[in-house]
Amino acid sequence: MTLLELTDVTASYGSVQVLEGVSLSVPDQGAVGILGANGAGKTTTLRAISGTVRAGGGILFDGKDIRGMRPDRVAALGIAHVPEGRGTLSDLTVRENLRVGAYLRKDRKGIEADIEYCLDLFPNLKERIKSHGSALSGGEQQMLAVARAVMAKPRLMLLDEASLGLAPSTAKNVYQAIGRLRKESGIAMLVVEQNANLAFTLVDTATVLETGRSVLTGTSAELKGMDEIRRAYLGG
Ligand code: ATP
């Protein structure tokens, strides 16, 4: 079953159109990557889905038209956006950040159980549970951003550049944990990632964007086998 379907999605910042026709679909419990050069429109595609940028075209989530919905309503339907730059709250502790992620939930026991699950998934956060967001390393902030999204119990997670600015070993750790999360939770994922080698450890298929248009979709294996993809995104 298809969980998310984008058909010819367009979007602009002011008078500058940056998405000119993005189409892709994410199966229920599937993981799909978005590849593309700087400025191709990857981040904007995620923003169009989460309602933080105005979009044209078709955006169906679980069969429902969500295009033009307010971000809080999109979130309430089960889409959690882990933004580029992480967006963790620096004045709150790790535990408080996790609780903020669960703000729409009322099941207190479930919330506490999910906090424990997140701390098991990211043991670094367990050690930092009382630290403020501002005291965390980049890797810890990224882990917290993902964990906070988990706390919303989403059906779909939008992950934007989770490896950005992290040491390679830290980025690998983060992706391993996200892979485990995917297996255990069945949360579907739409993953923007500059480091395609990392993305391919997580996603089943990926769509390539060029100047605001989706130009190619394939399985990870198919894409890795293509010379132009290797040259552009896999370092040779
Ligand atoms: P990157 O990896 O650099 O973030 P991207 O593929 O995610 O690239 P977007 O961030 O979606 O690309 O940006 C697409 C285009 O829109 C770029 O030309 C960018 O300069 C422009 N853009 C992004 N955000 C804004 C904004 N808030 N206002 C105006 N233009 C923007």
Side-chain angles (χ1 to χ4, degrees):
M1 189 205 110
T2 300
L3 184 61
L4 177 76
E5 180 99 57
L6 267 53
T7 312
D8 276 325
V9 169
T10 57
S12 315
Y13 293 108
S15 60
V16 183
Q17 188 167 358
V18 297
L19 298 187
E20 312 218 8
V22 174
S23 302
L24 58 83
S25 63
V26 182
D28 198 19
Q29 308 208 347
V32 174
I34 303 180
L35 304 178
N38 282 337
K42 306 181 295 297
T43 294
T44 306
T45 300
L46 298 189
R47 288 187 186 142
I49 298 164
S50 64
T52 45
V53 96
R54 203 135 55 109
I59 307 180
L60 294 182
F61 178 66
D62 201 16
K64 191 172 180 162
D65 182 5
I66 62 165
R67 188 182 62 86
M69 258 186 205
R70 290 204 323 254
D72 57 328
R73 289 195 57 210
V74 174
L77 288 175
I79 298 181
H81 192 167
V82 183
E84 194 174 19
R86 295 149 194 162
T88 52
L89 300 165
S90 52
D91 294 342
L92 300 187
T93 65
V94 166
R95 191 182 287 282
E96 287 165 346
N97 266 280
L98 294 175
R99 292 233 169 88
V100 168
Y103 78 105
L104 289 169
R105 295 171 61 183
K106 302 253 167 349
D107 56 324
R108 269 172 107 196
K109 279 201 179 130
I111 291 171
E112 290 311 311
D114 284 346
I115 289 178
E116 289 311 309
Y117 177 75
C118 286
L119 299 180
D120 187 57
L121 193 62
F122 295 113
N124 299 55
L125 293 183
K126 195 170 191 163
E127 290 164 24
R128 307 288 261 143
I129 190 79
K130 292 182 178 153
S131 301
H132 286 93
S134 55
L136 303 181
S137 69
E140 289 163 349
Q141 282 182 26
Q142 188 61 58
M143 293 170 194
L144 181 56
V146 173
R148 195 175 60 172
V150 172
M151 291 306 300
K153 258 198 179 315
R155 288 182 70 193
L156 172 68
M157 199 179 271
L158 309 175
L159 268 176
D160 199 348
E161 301 275 11
S163 76
L164 199 71
L166 306 185
S169 61
T170 309
K172 206 170 143 201
N173 268 341
V174 169
Y175 268 83
Q176 269 170 358
I178 297 170
R180 180 185 147 200
L181 169 68
R182 187 193 160 192
K183 270 207 206 90
E184 293 176 349
S185 68
I187 297 171
M189 299 183 174
L190 184 58
V191 181
V192 165
E193 182 50 68
Q194 202 60 243
N195 181 338
N197 284 308
L198 265 183
F200 284 138
T201 65
L202 179 65
V203 304
D204 310 315
T205 63
T207 292
V208 178
L209 296 193
E210 262 175 38
T211 54
R213 251 177 235 286
S214 38
V215 292
L216 181 67
T217 295
T219 65
S220 297
E222 284 165 355
L223 294 170
K224 277 193 269 189
M226 296 171 74
D227 284 344
E228 62 270 35
I229 298 293
R230 270 214 300 277
R231 271 198 302 274
Y233 306 113
L234 295 168

